[in-house]
Amino acid sequence: MTVPQPSPQTDPAERRAVIVRTLNLEKVYGSGDAATYALNGVDSAIYRGELIAIMGPSGSGKSTYFNMIGALDAPTKGRILIDEVDVAQLSAAELAFLRCRKIGYIFQSYNLIRYMTALENVTVPMTFSGTSPEEAHRRGMELLDLVGLGERWQHRPIEMSGGQQQRVAIARSLANQPQILLADEPTANLDLKTGEEILGILRRINEERGVTVICSTHDHRLLHLCHRIMWIRDGKVERVERREDLRIKTGKIGGES
């Protein structure tokens, strides 16, 4: 499969509004001498319509940052703004609406419901949002067609490969037409060919639907698809680079150690 390349003229960081912003973000576990800073004063901006990779070594704070911007965890200090709305100021009902309607999630372990068919898994979020059964079926089949699984809508996870399960998970993440798609290590459990196919799907979703795609990843195959790469180390943003500015070296990318 040929993975589509980003348009050379596309530079969301220069021409689009901020959709996710963090200000002096901290996440601290423990207290006193035992306090551990998973995030330590992170200021960042993610632009509407871009595809950005969040990269860093294990223990860098990458996963914590990912959970913070996905409203899956609360910061110890600082602010998270989504479309300039402070997430900390939202009620439980408003947070639930945000997670259901504005953000789609793709998990490394797929998190599909084993006894449900592919179509039923995709339409679960629509049920919670009050979509009619007829509309949920129509939209669910459309999304399965988008990821190349329209003919397997009756299959359950146990009857699918890892790559097919991840495709269903991607379709489910788009169920309620989110503006932001969070992908947590979307290719970690997949072989090279299948991983490239999944990356191609994410790129098409970004380009054709205008969805902001944020990937937490160790997969360097993703870098040539991204508009920008945010490197996190020791709980801080070490640097942010545009894809075209990456320095490719033997065994290293952009000065990675």
Side-chain angles (χ1 to χ4, degrees), residues 95-111:
L95 269 176
F97 182 89
L98 176 77
R99 297 186 188 112
C100 182
R101 295 285 191 145
K102 202 175 193 74
I103 304 174
Y105 303 89
I106 302 171
F107 300 99
Q108 179 179 340
S109 55
Y110 319 136
N111 286 2

Side-chain angles (χ1 to χ4, degrees), residues 10 29 35 52 56 67 85 97 104 108 114 127 133 155 161 171-173 182 184-185 187 211 219 231 243 254:
T10 301
Y29 296 99
I52 185 169
N67 289 336
V85 174
F97 182 89
Q108 179 179 340
R114 294 173 60 84
T127 301
H155 289 240
S161 66
R172 180 187 58 191
S173 74
L182 291 173
D184 184 15
E185 299 284 357
T187 62
V211 177
D219 193 343
W231 306 85
R243 176 187 53 84

Side-chain angles (χ1 to χ4, degrees), residues 50-72:
E50 76 171 324
L51 195 163
I52 185 169
I54 312 299
M55 302 198 75
S58 297
S60 64
K62 178 175 82 278
S63 296
T64 303
Y65 175 81
F66 188 83
N67 289 336
M68 294 290 110
I69 63 175
L72 298 173

Side-chain angles (χ1 to χ4, degrees), residues 66-93:
F66 188 83
N67 289 336
M68 294 290 110
I69 63 175
L72 298 173
D73 198 359
T76 304
K77 181 182 176 183
R79 302 171 68 199
I80 304 163
L81 296 97
I82 297 180
D83 263 348
E84 300 303 329
V85 174
D86 191 340
V87 173
Q89 303 302 315
L90 299 180
S91 66

Side-chain angles (χ1 to χ4, degrees), residues 225-236:
L225 297 176
C226 294
H227 299 110
R228 295 190 302 152
I229 301 91
M230 181 185 300
W231 306 85
I232 294 182
R233 186 183 295 272
D234 298 328
K236 299 181 178 181

Side-chain angles (χ1 to χ4, degrees), residues 110-118 120-121 124 156-157 172:
Y110 319 136
N111 286 2
L112 300 180
I113 300 173
R114 294 173 60 84
Y115 61 84
M116 285 187 171
T117 65
E120 289 169 338
N121 268 284
V124 163
R156 290 174 171 79
R172 180 187 58 191

